[in-house]
Amino acid sequence: METDFRYEFYNAGRRISELLRFSISPSSAGFNSDEHDLGCCGFWPLEAPQEGFFSVPADINSGHEVVRVGFAEDIQRRFGKWGVVRIDPNWNAAEKEDPEKEVSEYPIAANRDAAIERGKAIWLLHLRKIVEDHLRDCQNAMSAGGAPRAASGFTKKAFKLLGIADPGEQYFQGLKEEGRSAGSGQMNEALMQMQTQQSAMMGILLAVASGQKIDPELLKALLPQPGKPAPGMPVISGVATGEIKKPVGEFDPKRAGLEAYDRRTQDKSNRAKAAEKGLANS
């Protein structure tokens, strides 16, 4: 059970929710006579809303006694640099504060309005220090020839709250854009080469099937260009003007079913029969 007197705070930063520990009295239920720490402690739930006020007790009834708890001092010591400011009507900033020190050294104010103003200033200073530490890490990594890492966790949130771009994230996104652009260009070039080779191969097959002389330019299109290999396409070697040499193999009209082909004297049906006969005898 809590007493009436409480300390009031303002939390300018993120929400804080945890259990504050305190020593219970010997008459309290659960007190350990062996004086082990875990058996002599109680826990009080702290809820400090984001950008809101909250209060904590100065004393707690424990058993038959009233136990003095140091919640206010603990909160000021642990969370003061996070923008949690205690409100003390007797605080005189002009007399007790050193203007040469950072505002985070004095997480205390005389009233609510001053607490809000001071809490925001301390919170922004906290965010700035987090961002500056990350920027320093990025600079050191790049100076050593490495890649800066992108911010994560609360550091990433600090960049967002301050509206500052993370150089580590920009570096990573730049690599992705370069890779996407390079990959797209390489793919387009590969597709164009494959289309060119397919067209050339079709032209050669039609010329062979019709008994016409092969255009040397078609053969050149099938040859790999210096520094520009055609991925996924066979490389045809041993090609001379007007003929295809082994290992590709010489054109065999019998195996192709074209031995009796004569477009001047045979009609379509006769040519088909002759082709079937040629294939059967091959």
Side-chain angles (χ1 to χ4, degrees):
M1 183 177 179
E2 303 169 9
T3 59
D4 294 335
F5 184 79
R6 303 176 70 89
Y7 294 99
E8 188 176 22
F9 289 82
Y10 175 74
N11 178 23
R14 56 182 174 175
R15 173 176 173 265
I16 302 173
S17 178
E18 63 176 75
L19 296 176
L20 300 181
R21 189 171 67 174
F22 66 97
S23 298
I24 62 177
S25 66
S27 61
S28 178
F31 184 82
N32 192 326
S33 59
D34 294 335
E35 298 183 354
H36 294 304
D37 289 340
L38 293 178
C40 300
C41 294
F43 296 91
W44 187 85
L46 169 64
E47 287 292 337
Q50 179 179 351
E51 299 180 356
F53 293 92
F54 66 97
S55 62
V56 297
D59 304 286
I60 293 180
N61 291 328
S62 176
H64 303 300
E65 293 82 25
V66 176
V67 178
R68 173 79 167 86
V69 292
F71 295 159
E73 293 79 6
D74 291 342
I75 291 173
Q76 191 171 346
R77 173 179 52 83
R78 293 177 56 192
F79 308 123
K81 295 183 182 299
W82 291 6
V84 178
V85 178
R86 190 178 79 178
I87 300 175
D88 182 1
N90 299 320
W91 181 257
N92 189 325
E95 294 180 358
K96 298 182 179 181
E97 295 181 12
D98 184 353
E100 298 297 326
K101 293 184 178 181
E102 292 184 344
V103 67
S104 60
E105 296 293 328
Y106 304 100
I108 187 170
N111 52 63
R112 280 195 164 197
D113 291 338
I116 293 175
E117 181 180 357
R118 172 144 302 188
K120 290 181 178 179
I122 296 176
W123 175 243
L124 289 177
L125 180 61
H126 174 62
L127 295 177
R128 180 174 176 176
K129 287 183 176 180
I130 292 176
V131 168
E132 287 178 345
D133 288 342
H134 181 77
L135 293 176
R136 193 177 300 109
D137 291 342
C138 291
Q139 183 177 6
N140 292 337
M142 298 181 70
S143 299
R149 62 180 180 86
S152 60
F154 186 74
T155 301
K156 184 175 182 178
K157 185 176 182 179
F159 272 94
K160 184 177 180 180
L161 291 175
L162 293 178
I164 299 176
D166 175 18
E169 181 66 23
Q170 288 183 324
Y171 182 88
F172 177 71
Q173 292 296 334
L175 291 179
K176 290 178 62 176
E177 292 297 331
E178 291 179 4
R180 188 179 297 111
S181 300
S184 177
Q186 293 174 357
M187 180 62 69
N188 291 336
E189 183 178 358
L191 290 175
M192 291 180 63
Q193 292 182 17
M194 292 176 66
Q195 290 176 357
T196 301
Q197 286 199 342
Q198 289 175 356
S199 298
M201 182 68 73
M202 184 61 68
I204 291 176
L205 293 177
L206 291 175
V208 170
S210 61
Q212 297 179 0
K213 185 176 181 180
I214 300 175
D215 187 355
E217 295 299 325
L218 294 177
L219 297 175
K220 291 181 180 180
L222 294 176
L223 294 175
Q225 300 297 323
K228 294 182 179 180
M233 293 297 293
V235 177
I236 301 178
S237 59
V239 179
T241 303
E243 61 178 348
I244 303 179
K245 295 183 179 181
K246 294 180 179 180
V248 176
E250 298 178 354
F251 174 70
D252 188 349
K254 289 184 178 181
R255 296 183 61 84
L258 299 174
E259 181 181 22
Y261 177 77
D262 185 350
R263 68 173 63 203
R264 293 175 300 177
T265 59
Q266 295 185 356
D267 56 20
K268 182 178 180 180
S269 60
N270 291 332
R271 293 200 303 269
K273 292 179 182 180
E276 293 177 0
K277 182 179 179 181
L279 287 174
N281 296 331
S282 61

